[in-house]
Amino acid sequence: TEQENIDVAAESLLLYVFSRLNAKASAQNDIIDKISEITEKRFHEPDLSISDIAKEIGYNPKYLSHLFKKNMKVSYNEYLRSIRFKYSISLFELGLSSVKNVALLSGFTDPLYFSKAFKKEIGISPKEFIQSLSQKKRHRLFYQTLWNRRIKLHGARSFRNAHHRPYYQDHW
């Protein structure tokens, strides 16, 4: 009947519109993925910007900036800075203690700006962060040394037995 034909046509039109919307969303996700991929490979380059990426993948920089912020809920510059800070933290954790070197390796050109931005983002200065890491390391080494001495003195019993047995019983 005519009503059934109209219903089928309306349903077909809706399916077509939804498929186009899904394709557009998928294409936008592909662009965001590409931006993220390039950024993760090149974040250490001090002059990296959304304009550079736009040239590389053939899009308008303003469009990419808008699309990125809309999908990621942060600006591209905030995203890039967060990747650089995560990398700088990993360098500190690996034992690098020169703030200047970590700043340069992370893509910052000015160590003073890096220190101020690090403190604003992380909550403590890079030097304080390094000190907190060395304190944690010293504590870890101290307790590991104590545990190793206990094992040497009393044999390699199970953790449960060594942990729950009063210390004085080991000397009777």
Side-chain angles (χ1 to χ4, degrees):
T1 69
E2 191 174 319
Q3 183 60 37
E4 289 173 347
N5 288 341
I6 292 173
D7 288 345
V8 169
E11 187 176 333
S12 296
L13 180 63
L14 281 174
L15 288 172
Y16 174 76
V17 168
F18 286 137
S19 70
R20 297 293 296 159
L21 288 174
N22 282 340
K24 184 177 181 183
S26 178
Q28 288 179 350
N29 287 338
D30 290 345
I31 294 169
I32 298 299
D33 290 345
K34 187 70 175 167
I35 294 170
S36 298
E37 179 185 324
I38 292 169
T39 303
E40 288 172 14
K41 286 180 183 173
R42 296 179 44 199
F43 69 88
H44 60 278
E45 297 174 17
D47 57 347
L48 181 64
S49 69
I50 196 76
S51 295
D52 295 332
I53 294 173
K55 284 178 194 170
E56 186 174 325
I57 62 175
Y59 282 91
N60 180 301
K62 288 185 179 185
Y63 170 72
L64 285 188
S65 183
H66 171 76
L67 184 66
F68 193 88
K69 180 142 185 156
K70 179 180 155 194
N71 285 280
M72 299 293 283
K73 309 298 186 229
V74 294
S75 73
Y76 176 77
N77 287 335
E78 290 172 308
Y79 175 74
L80 175 59
R81 200 170 29 252
S82 73
I83 288 176
R84 288 176 171 168
F85 284 132
K86 286 177 188 174
Y87 186 69
S88 66
I89 287 170
S90 70
L91 291 176
F92 288 135
E93 289 174 339
L94 287 172
L96 272 73
S97 59
S98 166
V99 174
K100 179 182 177 183
N101 289 344
V102 168
L104 296 174
L105 289 169
S106 301
F108 293 92
T109 55
D110 181 0
L112 185 59
Y113 168 78
F114 168 76
S115 293
K116 288 179 180 179
F118 187 95
K119 183 166 184 167
K120 185 177 179 183
E121 182 78 16
I122 308 302
I124 58 175
S125 73
K127 288 289 185 192
E128 291 170 326
F129 186 82
I130 293 166
Q131 289 170 349
S132 74
L133 288 175
S134 63
Q135 274 185 330
K136 288 177 187 175
K137 189 175 183 180
R138 281 197 305 270
H139 285 279
R140 206 175 318 124
L141 286 172
F142 174 75
Y143 287 110
Q144 186 176 5
T145 303
L146 282 179
W147 182 253
N148 289 341
R149 285 184 183 162
R150 181 170 173 82
I151 289 175
K152 281 183 186 175
L153 285 173
H154 307 294
R157 291 188 295 261
S158 73
F159 176 78
R160 182 174 177 195
N161 290 339
H163 182 68
H164 292 292
R165 191 178 212 175
Y167 178 75
Y168 63 83
Q169 287 184 357
D170 291 335
H171 298 286
W172 287 10

